[in-house]
Amino acid sequence: MTINAMSCKELVELVTGYLENALPDAERARFESHLQSCTGCRNYLQQMRQTIALVGSLPESSITPEAQQELLQIFRTWKQG
């Protein structure tokens, strides 16, 4: 079976699914294959893991309602570009 190469951009778009074990097997294989040959993406994945570990321990009450609404708006329009 041949695995189609994954670009760095694709990896960035799929990193959340990877970290949540939500990628289909074929996508996970492509993701992990890319990581084997890309130091930059390995570093990015490690940074994402560290960010999740740190941010995951912050209580929701630590962000102001205004900042929360601003972040939600940014996430809603992120893909629209």
Side-chain angles (χ1 to χ4, degrees):
M1 176 172 90
T2 303
I3 297 175
N4 295 329
M6 177 175 287
S7 69
C8 296
K9 182 179 179 189
E10 277 184 283
L11 184 134
V12 168
E13 291 174 357
L14 296 173
V15 73
T16 300
Y18 179 79
L19 291 171
E20 294 175 351
N21 292 319
L23 293 181
D25 291 342
E27 284 295 293
R28 183 172 198 80
R30 289 179 65 228
F31 191 100
E32 291 174 346
S33 177
H34 181 87
L35 287 175
Q36 290 177 4
S37 63
C38 186
T39 303
C41 286
R42 283 195 306 270
N43 290 339
Y44 176 74
L45 179 61
Q46 182 59 30
Q47 289 169 351
M48 289 300 293
R49 285 182 169 143
Q50 289 173 341
T51 299
I52 291 167
L54 292 171
V55 174
S57 65
L58 295 175
E60 188 176 332
S61 62
S62 68
I63 186 170
T64 66
E66 295 82 13
Q68 183 178 26
Q69 287 306 310
E70 184 178 348
L71 287 170
L72 287 172
Q73 185 60 34
I74 290 168
F75 289 130
R76 285 184 190 118
T77 59
W78 180 21
K79 286 265 186 181
Q80 296 171 0

